[in-house]
Amino acid sequence: MASGRGGIPGPSRPCRLPLLFLPALLPLLVLLAFSFSPSSAVAAAASPGAMHNNNWAVLVCTSRFWFNYRHMANTLSLYRTVKRLGIPDERIILMLADDMACNPRNNYPAQVFNNENHQLNLYGDNVEVDYRGYEVTVENFLRVLTGRHESAVPRSKRLLSDEGSHILLYMTGHGGDEFLKFQDNEELQSHDLADAVKQMKEKHRFKELLIMVDTCQAATLFSQLHSPGVLAIGSSMKGENSYSHHLDSDIGVSVVDRFTFYTLAFFEKLNMYSNASLNSLFNSYNPSMLLSTAYYRMDLYERPLNEVIVR
Amino acid sequence: MAPPLSPPALRRLLLLVLSLLITSVAAENVEEFTEELLLRPLPDRKALAHFHFRSSAPPSAAPSRHHHHFPKAIAQLVHQFHIKELELSFTQGRWNYEQWGGYDPMSTNYAKPPGVELWATFDLPLGEIDATWKNLTHTLSGLFCASINFLESSTAFSSPRWGFKLNEGNLRYGALPREAVCTENLTPWLKLLPCRDKAGIASLLYRPSVYKGYYHSQKLKLASSKSFGIILDQTLTVVLQPDSVRGKQLHSADGQLQPSWSMKDLFNRKLSGKCLVSKSSRVFFEIEKNIVDKVDKSGTEASWTNEIFVLSSAPDRVLKEINNMDGHSSSICEYDVSNYNEDAPLDVGVTWKLPLIWSCTPAPYHANRFLMGSGNERGSISLSFISTNMHKQLFDVSNDCSIKAVVFQVVPWYVKVYYHTLEIFIDGNNKAISEVVDKINVTPSEDKLFPGTLEMLLRFPCSMQSAALSLDFDKGFLHIDEYPPDANQGFDIPSALVTFPEFNSSRSYPETDSLFVSPLLRTFKEDGVVKSYTEVLLVPLTTPDFSMPYNVITFTCTVLALYFGSLLNALRRRTGEEERELKKAGNPTMLICLPVYDAHISCVI
């Protein structure tokens, strides 16, 4: 650090004396500023003392009625994957808008399949659904995200995340330009979602948030997001539809959507100890197989894409 | 004469006696868990399986204490909400009273209305009960993964005084007929058991076969007091159709054989041992009174093996019902699961040798309920009672003999019932209300505040063959926000309950083990008045056109835009202004763009 007197010796009048030292102090100040700025930049990027220490998943299926079986199967496939890769039921909020497994139209009671070969029963023996049926509304969804519940709401229905949480938010259903349809009579708009995420960030309810959306024109749903630390993947761009993968003639309806099918195909190869990265997930999406362009938005995300999604 | 005991032996004997005394005293303060399974063939080629798990916790002064097998969630629930008694049932399907009986402990206690039914009595001052009920519904919805929280608002629950259960005003009752019941309700229910579904009788619960049944009902019953602590009864009643691979043989003389089935056919697995924490683990096979009757008539004594059927293995004990009036009694074959393990699993079943047709004893009247009328403005609810003539065998049919029936019905506020239009028809003749109704308590509904509750005590003459009650109602209008997403399906009126207080369905069996009484058999012995639930009614209400708000906004905005557009255009637009501007400017290549007030810009070169 340079110090000492520099500058032009001026007239030795008392009121001008401090001014003499100004040029000398300037380099000192500049250097001090430099030393502070990296730490402040670091402080701005990550809240102090926030280490990643827990994972949460919020899985939402917004469609009702039997012909939307595939949306339920999508959500349950993700549920099964997330449980298998290590997130316990207490940290998963599962919202299913209708009951498919015990639906009278289901030939296979208590079983939900996402593939024609019926090899995997997604419903299993230990499923816990937190919000069901008529409870899946835009209001409840936003309450879960922002944490603003009535006092009587039990803990199992709350998202009790903190500033060290990584949260996976998966939404599926019917959607369109800047909205997602809830149960055929309500919509969630992209700016509502962006506001909820902003509230979450301000309340330190997450460290990193991954939003996956599997609906038609999915990418428009997160076009309004502006909070840092959020990564979003959508199954199609504006003007494109997301298609279902195949029809199961035994059950009678389509059983899974293409985007989720290929996402699952990627995850089925992993186990709890894999080190796969998000980059490889994105690279695995082949537009010709998806019949739509999977779009991801990374501008709000600081780290390079080399970590496993749910770890 | 026996030689006297040596001093060390005497000391050992004393110690043994003392330790026995201590354990017997301490046993009263210990948590206990028992598990039982009852199997019974039904007349319409189906099989009934009833799982009964009882967990009890001794009374304690402090609300917080360590638990061994008793689920802490339930103990906390009881202490936090000051619950005296609670019953929560999740049911899918309708108990077929015509085929499966209405006069035995099973149909009285375990035949429940479809959907969710919750009732609770609280040990609190009457003013605090509604708020506690609300918190209780939320807690239960989180605990059992169901939307029980919809019972929180006053439009969803009622407080009957004597129609459901006699109480001093601290009982609240609510039902959700359309609640789906699936694996996610069974999962937390099983997690309350000490062995979960990994060992013991609960390991039989193969989910696809449970949910493929014709009727399944899981129930949780809590009773708590300062004297006996908390008793938690968890029961699951399933009616299944066994895969009739073995049973489809046609018998030459009398028709089709009943299907032979065993636990492996019903649940895809066998019992390989008991839950090690349970005090006792037993499987019962019930042979009903009417089957015993028919087997006896054919000549052989009805034990576990006879001419008509044979059980898969010899039971450890056969218990015959005692105190039965007409001589024939049901019998229960008991198997102790602790005698079996993985190498020699237990598979209880029945093989039929000769065809047999029998019927289960019904309740005095078959109670049914249905809707009358058409259109979207009004309709009627009608309750019908059809005599089964069963009471004629029990009572002397004299002229002043009468049978009492209590009707309890809750109707949501949007079905506005006019209680003054109550009409009663006995054997087709219109009777005056005062002749038939002994006591009636009506809480009329109030729009958007509470549902309408009806409690009636009726007195029917014994010789009556059929009766019908009808009540007229008007269909109300809901606010657009109050309609559920699938409003076109209609709205449900929960099941009504019909009780026959003079008829008791209890049965007692001999207690062979003095130290231990089976909880299942003890519930059979308890005073159970005969009850039956009627059907759930589906009322189609007028639904508005839900796209109207969007249509209204679109039309209004278009009209306003056209109006203001034309108005401003007319006021501000000057014809020929563009040409004059051009002549003044004199530059032919400049593009002059002027906004015209009907929302587009016209550019002129």
Side-chain angles (χ1 to χ4, degrees):
Chain A
M1 225 163 24
S3 66
R5 41 194 313 270
I8 307 151
S12 53
R13 275 167 49 184
C15 58
R16 297 251 174 108
L17 213 60
L19 283 173
L20 273 177
F21 290 103
L22 206 61
L25 285 172
L26 263 170
L28 186 68
L29 283 168
V30 167
L31 278 164
L32 274 171
F34 265 117
S35 71
F36 276 130
S37 59
S39 55
S40 63
V42 165
S47 33
M51 262 185 52
H52 168 211
N53 52 22
N54 57 61
N55 291 317
W56 282 81
V58 178
L59 309 170
V60 183
C61 166
T62 60
S63 307
R64 169 168 280 274
F65 304 122
W66 176 247
F67 51 81
N68 290 320
Y69 182 99
R70 62 187 188 281
H71 296 141
M72 204 73 56
N74 288 347
T75 316
L76 287 168
S77 318
L78 251 289
Y79 174 75
R80 182 186 165 271
T81 304
V82 150
K83 259 177 98 158
R84 187 175 65 87
L85 290 175
I87 302 188
D89 266 318
E90 293 84 50
R91 300 263 173 89
I92 303 179
I93 304 233
L94 179 61
M95 303 173 78
L96 296 180
D98 201 358
D99 171 46
M100 296 299 167
C102 293
N103 195 311
R105 291 185 183 189
N106 192 356
N107 245 342
Y108 299 90
Q111 291 159 297
V112 174
F113 303 112
N114 68 348
N115 202 316
E116 221 175 2
N117 55 27
H118 294 183
Q119 293 244 343
L120 192 57
N121 172 13
L122 296 172
Y123 224 57
D125 280 350
N126 279 323
V127 61
E128 285 188 16
V129 181
D130 298 298
Y131 288 85
R132 278 175 152 189
Y134 297 139
E135 284 179 296
V136 177
T137 56
V138 174
E139 184 194 336
N140 280 343
F141 174 66
L142 293 177
R143 278 183 191 274
V144 164
L145 284 187
T146 55
R148 296 162 68 174
H149 295 278
E150 288 182 16
S151 54
V153 172
R155 283 174 68 89
S156 62
K157 285 179 154 181
R158 295 184 192 227
L159 180 63
L160 301 166
S161 56
D162 54 21
E163 67 252 12
S165 307
H166 282 188
I167 305 182
L168 165 70
L169 172 61
Y170 176 78
M171 295 183 280
T172 180
H174 289 290
D177 197 359
E178 311 257 338
F179 71 90
L180 172 66
K181 185 171 75 157
F182 265 68
Q183 296 223 42
D184 234 8
N185 71 346
E186 277 187 308
E187 317 175 326
L188 173 75
Q189 302 202 325
S190 55
H191 55 82
D192 288 327
L193 183 64
D195 279 344
V197 170
K198 177 171 164 214
Q199 275 196 48
M200 283 175 84
K201 190 67 194 175
E202 285 168 357
K203 290 192 203 177
H204 300 294
R205 279 168 72 76
F206 66 90
K207 182 164 179 281
E208 283 170 21
L209 174 66
L210 171 63
I211 303 183
M212 290 176 77
V213 187
D214 187 358
T215 71
C216 303
Q217 306 190 45
T220 55
L221 189 67
F222 42 79
S223 58
Q224 307 259 0
L225 287 177
H226 49 262
S227 316
V230 179
L231 180 62
I233 309 174
S235 63
S236 52
M237 310 253 324
K238 178 174 159 118
E240 286 177 356
N241 293 330
S242 292
Y243 294 97
S244 68
H245 191 254
H246 62 265
L247 170 73
D248 180 345
S249 24
D250 200 359
I251 294 187
V253 282
S254 311
V255 288
V256 72
D257 279 334
R258 284 180 182 260
F259 175 74
T260 310
F261 184 80
Y262 290 110
T263 310
L264 282 174
F266 176 83
F267 277 108
E268 285 293 318
K269 298 186 220 133
L270 302 180
N271 60 33
M272 256 198 286
Y273 307 102
S274 310
N275 254 336
S277 72
L278 272 179
N279 225 349
S280 49
L281 173 64
F282 295 156
N283 292 337
S284 75
Y285 291 136
N286 182 346
S288 60
M289 301 291 282
L290 281 179
L291 300 181
S292 62
T293 323
Y295 172 73
Y296 42 96
R297 184 170 168 190
M298 303 174 315
D299 51 334
L300 298 169
Y301 200 66
E302 283 122 9
R303 292 192 286 143
L305 298 174
N306 51 6
E307 46 103 47
V308 174
I309 290 184
V310 292
R311 279 201 337 135
Chain B
M1 205 173 105
L5 288 167
S6 54
L10 196 62
R11 240 177 275 140
R12 248 180 270 139
L13 185 63
L14 262 166
L15 258 154
L16 187 66
V17 168
L18 259 163
S19 59
L20 270 171
L21 268 168
I22 290 172
T23 45
S24 65
V25 166
E28 290 165 7
N29 277 336
V30 153
E31 296 176 356
E32 285 177 4
F33 171 73
T34 49
E35 51 177 20
E36 278 145 343
L37 168 62
L38 179 102
L39 296 166
R40 196 220 283 184
L42 291 172
D44 57 350
R45 313 177 64 77
K46 301 189 174 72
L48 170 82
H50 174 80
F51 295 79
H52 189 119
F53 303 99
R54 175 176 283 203
S55 221
S56 63
S60 77
S64 60
R65 54 152 182 237
H66 288 289
H67 293 282
H68 295 280
H69 345 297
F70 195 81
K72 183 175 172 187
I74 300 292
Q76 285 182 331
L77 197 84
V78 169
H79 285 117
Q80 189 182 355
F81 298 117
H82 302 275
I83 295 176
K84 247 177 29 190
E85 264 187 277
L86 180 142
E87 206 176 276
L88 171 63
S89 69
F90 298 83
T91 312
Q92 196 165 49
R94 189 189 147 250
W95 181 267
N96 192 341
Y97 289 98
E98 290 86 8
Q99 295 273 5
W100 306 337
Y103 198 72
D104 50 279
M106 193 65 62
S107 59
T108 302
N109 296 324
Y110 304 112
K112 288 279 157 195
V116 165
E117 193 203 44
L118 171 68
W119 65 263
T121 49
F122 299 90
D123 196 9
L124 285 171
L126 294 182
E128 293 173 28
I129 293 186
D130 282 342
T132 317
W133 168 267
K134 175 181 167 175
N135 290 335
L136 174 67
T137 52
H138 274 280
T139 311
L140 286 174
S141 111
L143 192 54
F144 289 103
C145 297
S147 22
I148 301 175
N149 50 326
F150 287 146
L151 288 177
E152 63 167 343
S153 69
S154 57
T155 54
F157 66 87
S158 67
S159 25
R161 295 306 292 262
W162 47 268
F164 184 74
K165 217 169 117 76
L166 193 59
N167 66 88
E168 316 96 38
N170 58 350
L171 172 90
R172 296 288 181 273
Y173 174 90
L176 289 171
R178 212 190 283 184
E179 186 69 15
V181 178
C182 207
T183 315
E184 65 260 19
N185 302 112
L186 192 61
T187 307
W189 188 91
L190 284 173
K191 285 190 181 170
L192 298 175
L193 300 174
C195 287
R196 304 225 185 344
D197 57 342
K198 306 285 181 228
I201 290 182
S203 63
L204 284 175
L205 290 171
Y206 180 53
R207 314 289 192 269
S209 57
V210 168
Y211 290 102
K212 205 170 22 173
Y214 286 79
Y215 171 87
H216 63 85
S217 165
Q218 69 187 67
K219 195 170 94 153
L220 188 104
K221 188 169 155 73
L222 268 180
S224 127
S225 90
K226 291 196 178 43
S227 54
F228 56 76
I230 308 177
I231 296 186
L232 170 67
D233 271 326
Q234 288 175 258
T235 60
L236 176 67
T237 313
V238 195
V239 172
L240 299 164
Q241 173 98 62
D243 289 329
S244 44
V245 171
R246 291 189 279 157
K248 270 220 173 96
Q249 309 121 321
L250 278 169
H251 198 266
S252 53
D254 300 297
Q256 230 177 13
L257 264 184
Q258 292 273 336
S260 306
W261 51 265
S262 72
M263 271 163 29
K264 181 99 174 43
D265 292 325
L266 295 180
F267 302 111
N268 230 12
R269 41 187 87 152
K270 305 182 188 182
L271 251 188
S272 50
K274 70 174 205 166
C275 171
L276 295 172
V277 172
S278 69
K279 189 167 168 194
S280 100
S281 178
R282 303 185 203 179
V283 176
F284 298 105
F285 189 94
E286 185 183 346
I287 305 169
E288 271 188 295
K289 186 170 72 165
N290 297 332
I291 303 183
V292 172
D293 195 13
K294 298 236 166 160
V295 170
D296 278 350
K297 276 196 196 134
S298 75
T300 53
E301 193 203 310
S303 68
W304 68 278
T305 169
N306 52 52
E307 260 186 14
I308 301 196
F309 65 85
V310 61
L311 296 184
S312 56
S313 50
D316 298 315
R317 261 202 294 259
V318 179
L319 306 163
K320 279 203 173 349
E321 186 191 344
I322 50 183
N323 300 334
N324 194 296
M325 287 181 288
D326 53 11
H328 291 290
S329 50
S330 60
S331 64
I332 289 192
C333 301
E334 184 184 312
Y335 297 81
D336 193 351
V337 184
S338 41
N339 298 337
Y340 299 85
N341 51 34
E342 272 209 37
D343 302 319
L346 174 61
D347 190 13
V348 176
V350 63
T351 311
W352 294 89
K353 296 194 276 196
L354 291 175
L356 182 68
I357 298 177
W358 77 96
S359 61
C360 296
T361 322
Y365 295 100
H366 282 310
N368 290 97
R369 193 174 63 158
F370 44 90
L371 281 174
M372 299 197 301
S374 66
N376 277 336
E377 256 192 83
R378 58 186 78 91
S380 304
I381 301 178
S382 175
L383 263 163
S384 87
F385 296 88
I386 298 182
S387 171
T388 55
N389 297 324
M390 153 270 191
H391 50 279
K392 298 206 171 104
Q393 303 160 13
L394 299 172
F395 288 140
D396 177 27
V397 184
S398 53
N399 269 341
D400 51 352
C401 146
S402 64
I403 297 186
K404 285 199 252 188
V406 178
V407 173
F408 165 61
Q409 180 174 258
V410 179
V411 177
W413 66 265
Y414 37 82
V415 173
K416 300 179 213 194
V417 176
Y418 293 107
Y419 293 100
H420 72 278
T421 57
L422 174 67
E423 283 187 346
I424 304 188
F425 296 85
I426 294 192
D427 286 330
N429 303 320
N430 199 338
K431 298 275 183 197
I433 306 292
S434 47
E435 273 180 47
V436 186
V437 177
D438 269 359
K439 208 158 80 153
I440 183 167
N441 180 11
V442 165
T443 312
S445 63
E446 213 173 300
D447 274 7
K448 301 186 210 235
L449 282 180
F450 13 89
T453 315
L454 170 70
E455 302 169 72
M456 261 194 319
L457 173 61
L458 301 163
R459 193 183 288 276
F460 295 129
C462 288
S463 53
M464 175 187 93
Q465 287 297 104
S466 73
L469 276 84
S470 75
L471 284 163
D472 290 342
F473 65 85
D474 265 358
K475 297 188 188 178
F477 289 105
L478 289 164
H479 190 260
I480 192 170
D481 292 337
E482 292 168 355
Y483 282 97
D486 52 354
N488 290 302
Q489 188 181 1
F491 294 77
D492 299 292
I493 302 183
S495 291
L497 175 65
V498 177
T499 333
F500 301 100
E502 293 157 336
F503 293 84
N504 199 305
S505 65
S506 61
R507 284 188 197 169
S508 21
Y509 291 91
E511 285 168 32
T512 50
D513 199 349
S514 55
L515 281 176
F516 172 72
V517 180
S518 148
L520 182 63
L521 298 179
R522 210 191 296 166
T523 37
F524 278 20
K525 203 160 60 159
E526 274 166 14
D527 246 357
V529 289
V530 172
K531 290 198 277 223
S532 54
Y533 282 95
T534 63
E535 293 90 341
V536 170
L537 296 176
L538 186 64
V539 178
L541 291 183
T542 39
T543 49
D545 182 357
F546 292 106
S547 62
M548 272 320 279
Y550 166 76
N551 294 342
V552 165
I553 293 173
T554 317
F555 281 137
T556 319
C557 290
T558 311
V559 164
L560 283 173
L562 283 174
Y563 170 68
F564 280 107
S566 333
L567 182 72
L568 289 166
N569 232 358
L571 289 175
R572 286 295 304 151
R573 193 182 194 173
R574 306 270 182 268
T575 50
E577 178 159 1
E578 290 131 31
E579 287 84 8
R580 270 182 266 135
E581 292 288 328
L582 260 177
K583 281 186 198 138
K584 279 189 206 160
N587 190 345
T589 59
M590 191 166 75
L591 200 69
I592 301 176
C593 288
L594 290 171
V596 176
Y597 286 100
D598 58 351
H600 72 267
I601 297 183
S602 74
C603 294
V604 169
I605 296 185

